[in-house]
Every structure is written in structure tokens, then in C-alpha cells.
């Protein structure tokens, strides 16, 4: 099958590229399938490792992509350009009804830009989140994607204020909840903290850490400070760190492997990872998704960043922002976990998103 013939006119086309996209897309694709909507899935291949990509398709019952662009890694420009060329070529002369993009990765903005220029409607799942930190590549992707989107599907109420502030108040904005949390709730019965503890030979309390944001892992000096703080934390509580390829080189060079009480492992598949988090005493992270997942799992989350685009995980969740110099103290003084859940993080966001898409397309 040639790339040009993959997409049929009238299809709703989902674009996924990187690990955080898969748990967000799976419930939307399932809900649209249940409603009988013709759809296609393009995987850009921004993430391509078994652990970061393939395992999610199996575990989350995602359909096999109709097309994998296989773009792989590269500089932002190289990767974004390759995704754009691949998507434009996949669309060819077809007229899809809509392109649905997720989150804030390069695949998100690249696909939105191609679709907007071809006059194809764009829906953005997880619109309106803002860290107000333009040094984050993801913040650039978020802002540009929202500008290019016709249908803005938001996970939390403050996203609407952010969109209005950027002049997007007259676009179609729907507060639909969080489809990533749908995925978490749908798999709740599969998370087994005892099983993963035994698989990893863990005994007693432990914390989980994940780090991959450029601001934390790109500069060796910063990586060294973080590694040293983690080393101190590990003197009290053993740390398990599934290491994202993005931070591997600098964190290892910064001496991560030299601490007995820090267990560095490969990225885990989704079920193993959430099982591990569920059993953790606390989590140290710079991930966006993990701030949300810990909120639902009621596991204290220390986010090693100066800001978050997900402030609702602080007001309605277990999250707090920490600096490297503060980390040890904040771990020692963890606050009790709040018993509140963000509104509409209820396991049915996928259905609300599907309904919003169908209703919107019906009017066009
Ligand atoms: N995750 C995983 N295995 C791991 C680490 C994370 O399955 O070893 C999952 C996590 O549960 C969440 C997603 O990956 O659903 C978050 O992705 P990531 O932290 O890479 O991206 P971000 O959310 O920061 O954009």
C-alpha cells in the first residue's frame, strides 16, 4: 500500500509519536470506534524503542498504526520537519475529516501545522496547559498547536483561561477531562505493586524517580546536582529510577550508578511502571504525565521543576514543586495526601472527547 492511499477522505486521523501520547489516545480511539467513526492512526515513530512505544500498543489495545513514519530521533528541526513531510505525504490528495493530536510533543505541533495548511480541521487533546516557561520545547509546542487547532479539548478548567488570554476564547473549547486518567482507571485492576516489587527484588520502602526534561538532564552540571540530591535522599529511602534514553548519558556521567541505594533500570512498560508507582512511598519526577498519575494513585509527587503546566495536580492532587537544593528537606517533610480528585478525571473523558468530535464534525 502506498503512503498516499492509507488515509481515506472523511477519516478522523489520530497522530501519535511519543510515550505520553499513547495513554491519551487509546480511550479516544476506542470511544470513536464504538461510535462507528472511520479512523486511522499514524504513528510518527518519534519514539521507537520497544519499551517506549511497541509495548504500549499491546498493553493499551491500541490498533496497529495504519502507517508508521519511522522518523526516529534527531534535533527538533530535523524531527519536526521529517514528521511534517511524512504526514503531508500520507494525506496526499485525501480529505480527512479531522486530524487529532495529543499533548505537547514534536509530533503534535508538526501534524497540526501540516493539517492547518491543508485546510483540515484539527482537534487538540490536552489543549490550554501552560507552564509559562518558553525555555521548555513542550511549551512552544503547546502554544503553537492551540493556535492551529479548531477544537480545543481541555483537561482542567484553568486551561480555558489560558486559551482566552491568548485570544482563543472564541474557538470551540470543551472541558472533557483527562483521557490519560481513563487509561489509568481502566487498568487499575492490573497494577500489582507486590508483583513488580518481587520482579525487581525490592524489599521495604522505596521511591520512584523519572527524569528526562532538557532543563534537568542536558547540562552535566545540573545533572550532577540532581544526582547528588538523589544520592542523599537514597540514604533514607531506596530509589528506583527507570531511566529514559533522553537523560541516560548525562545522568550516568554525573555518577548516578555509584549509589548503592539507587537502582537504575530500563524504562518499564506501562503496567509495570504504574504498579511500581502505586507501591512507592513517594515519587520524584519531571514528567508531565506522572504528576497526573500520582494525583489519582494518591502517591506524594515531588516535581523537580520551577513550574508546572498542570497546577491542578497541586491544588487537587499530591504534587509539589521542588528545587534540587530543597529536595532532601521536602522529602523529610512530606505533607499528608489530599483526598480530592480533579473534576472530570473520572474515566470517561474518551467518551466525552468522541462526543465532542462527532458533534463538531456534524456541524461542519
Ligand atoms: N511511563 C512508563 N514507563 C516508564 C516511565 C513512564 O510507562 O518507565 C509512562 C507514565 O506512566 C506516563 C507516561 O509514560 O503514562 C509519561 O511519559 P513521559 O514521562 O515520558 O512524558 P511526559 O508526560 O513528561 O510528557
Amino acid at each position: 500500500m502506498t503512503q498516499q492511499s492509507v488515509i481515506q477522505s472523511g477519516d478522523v486521523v489520530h497522530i501519535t509519536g511519543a510515550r505520553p501520547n499513547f495513554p491519551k489516545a487509546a480511550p479516544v480511539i476506542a470511544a470513536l470506534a464504538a461510535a462507528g467513526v472511520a479512523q486511522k492512526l499514524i504513528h510518527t515513530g518519534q519514539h521507537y524503542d520497544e519499551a517506549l512505544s511497541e509495548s504500549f500498543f499491546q498493553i493499551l489495545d491500541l490498533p496497529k498504526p495504519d502507517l508508521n513514519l519511522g522518523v526516529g530521533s534527531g534535533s527538533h528541526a530535523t524531527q519536526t520537519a521529517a514528521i511534517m513531510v511524512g504526514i503531508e505525504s500520507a494525506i496526499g490528495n485525501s480529505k480527512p475529516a479531522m486530524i487529532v493530536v495529543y499533548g505537547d510533543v514534536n509530533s503534535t505541533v508538526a501534524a497540526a501545522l501540516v493539517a492547518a495548511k491543508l485546510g483540515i480541521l484539527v482537534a487538540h487533546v490536552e489543549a490550554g496547559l501552560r507552564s509559562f516557561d518558553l525555555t521548555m520545547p513542550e511549551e512552544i509546542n503547546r502554544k503553537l498547536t492551540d493556535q492551529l487547532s479548531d477544537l480545543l479539548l481541555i483537561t482542567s478548567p484553568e486551561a480555558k483561561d489560558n486559551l482566552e488570554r491568548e485570544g482563543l476564547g472564541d474557538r470551540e473549547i470543551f472541558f472533557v477531562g483527562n483521557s490519560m486518567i481513563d487509561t489509568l482507571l481502566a487498568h487499575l485492576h492490573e497494577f500489582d505493586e507486590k508483583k513488580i516489587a518481587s520482579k525487581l527484588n525490592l524489599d521495604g520502602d522505596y521511591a520512584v524517580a523519572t527524569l528526562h526534561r532538557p532543563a534537568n538532564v542536558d547540562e552535566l552540571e545540573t545533572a550532577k546536582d540532581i544526582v547528588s540530591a538523589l544520592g542523599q535522599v537514597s540514604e533514607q529511602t531506596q530509589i528506583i529510577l527507570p531511566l529514559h534514553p533522553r537523560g541516560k548519558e548525562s545522568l550516568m556521567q554525573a555518577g548516578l550508578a555509584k549509589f548503592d541505594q539507587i537502582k537504575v533500570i530500563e524504562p518499564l512498560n506501562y503496567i509495570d511502571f504504574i504498579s511500581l508507582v502505586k507501591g512507592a512511598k513517594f515519587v520524584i519526577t519531571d514528567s508531565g504525565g506522572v504528576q497526573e498519575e500520582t494525583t489519582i494513585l494518591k502517591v506524594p509527587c515531588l516535581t523537580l521543576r520551577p513550574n508546572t503546566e498542570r497546577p491542578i495536580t497541586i491544588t487537587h492532587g499530591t504534587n509539589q514543586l521542588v528545587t534540587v537544593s530543597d529536595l532532601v528537606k521536602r522529602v523529610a517533610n512530606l505533607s499528608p495526601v489530599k483526598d480530592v480528585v480533579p473534576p472530570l478525571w473520572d474515566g470517561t473523558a474518551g467518551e466525552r472527547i468522541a462526543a465532542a468530535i462527532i458533534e463538531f464534525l456534524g456541524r461542519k
Side-chain angles (χ1 to χ4, degrees), residues 10-12 28-40 354 358:
D11 283 346
V12 169
V28 180
I29 294 173
L32 284 169
V37 172
Q39 38 184 350
K40 295 280 158 50
I358 292 166

Side-chain angles (χ1 to χ4, degrees), residues 7-292:
I7 296 171
Q8 309 293 311
S9 293
D11 283 346
V12 169
V13 181
H14 305 267
I15 310 293
T16 59
R19 178 167 73 179
N21 291 158
F22 308 126
K24 293 168 194 170
V28 180
I29 294 173
L32 284 169
V37 172
Q39 38 184 350
K40 295 280 158 50
L41 172 58
I42 298 185
H43 182 17
T44 66
Q46 189 182 328
H47 279 169
Y48 46 85
D49 301 9
E50 158 72 24
L52 270 67
S53 173
E54 185 59 35
S55 71
F56 280 82
F57 280 83
Q58 289 154 16
I59 289 171
L60 305 185
D61 264 341
L62 272 163
K64 189 173 167 339
D66 296 281
L67 180 66
N68 189 326
L69 301 176
V71 298
S73 358
S75 70
H76 282 281
T78 309
Q79 194 176 58
T80 308
I83 297 167
M84 289 179 67
V85 171
I87 290 176
E88 188 180 58
S89 150
I91 293 173
N93 293 323
S94 67
K95 296 263 173 264
M98 172 174 266
I99 300 278
V100 187
V101 296
Y102 297 86
D104 56 19
V105 300
N106 286 343
S107 300
T108 312
V109 69
L113 186 51
V114 170
K117 294 235 175 131
L118 291 174
I120 299 166
L121 295 169
V122 178
H124 184 201
V125 173
E126 202 186 85
L129 295 187
R130 295 291 182 269
S131 64
F132 304 100
D133 177 358
L134 277 170
T135 66
M136 284 182 85
E138 297 87 348
E139 183 75 354
I140 298 171
N141 293 345
R142 290 180 199 118
K143 290 186 78 157
L144 295 182
T145 302
D146 287 337
Q147 288 291 336
L148 296 164
S149 296
D150 301 282
L151 184 58
L152 297 154
L153 301 155
I154 63 174
T155 54
S156 56
E158 85 283 352
K160 188 162 191 282
D161 304 332
N162 296 337
L163 293 169
E164 282 170 353
R165 209 176 299 115
E166 290 171 21
L168 300 177
D170 58 353
R171 298 271 172 97
E172 303 262 356
I173 303 173
F174 289 90
F175 176 31
V176 288
N178 191 328
S179 61
M180 186 178 218
I181 298 305
D182 289 11
T183 295
L184 183 97
L185 295 175
H187 292 271
L188 216 45
H189 61 287
E190 293 170 59
F191 304 134
D192 186 338
E193 58 271 42
K194 292 203 178 75
K195 196 162 149 197
I196 188 68
S198 126
K199 200 161 146 187
L200 297 176
N201 282 321
L202 304 179
D203 197 12
D205 282 349
Y206 65 87
V208 174
T210 79
L211 293 163
H212 70 281
R213 295 257 98 80
N216 282 336
V217 302
D218 277 8
E219 298 292 331
L220 184 58
E221 283 314 305
T222 314
K224 278 184 180 163
D225 290 344
I226 291 177
V227 165
S228 151
L230 291 178
Q232 287 180 61
V233 171
S234 76
E235 286 167 17
Q236 304 302 323
T237 310
Q238 163 176 218
I239 297 177
I240 319 303
L241 199 155
L243 188 51
H244 191 290
R246 185 76 175 65
K248 198 168 188 168
E249 202 183 318
S250 66
L251 290 169
M252 292 309 261
Q253 212 182 326
L256 192 61
K258 76 174 188 223
F259 295 95
D260 292 345
Q261 289 292 96
I262 301 182
K263 194 178 171 95
V264 180
I265 59 175
E266 291 296 312
L268 293 169
N269 73 47
Y270 179 73
I271 299 295
D272 283 349
F273 179 71
I274 301 287
S275 300
L276 187 69
V277 169
K278 191 168 167 234
K281 195 171 164 201
F282 57 92
V283 168
I284 298 169
T285 193
D286 58 14
S287 160
V290 175
Q291 295 171 56
E292 299 183 339

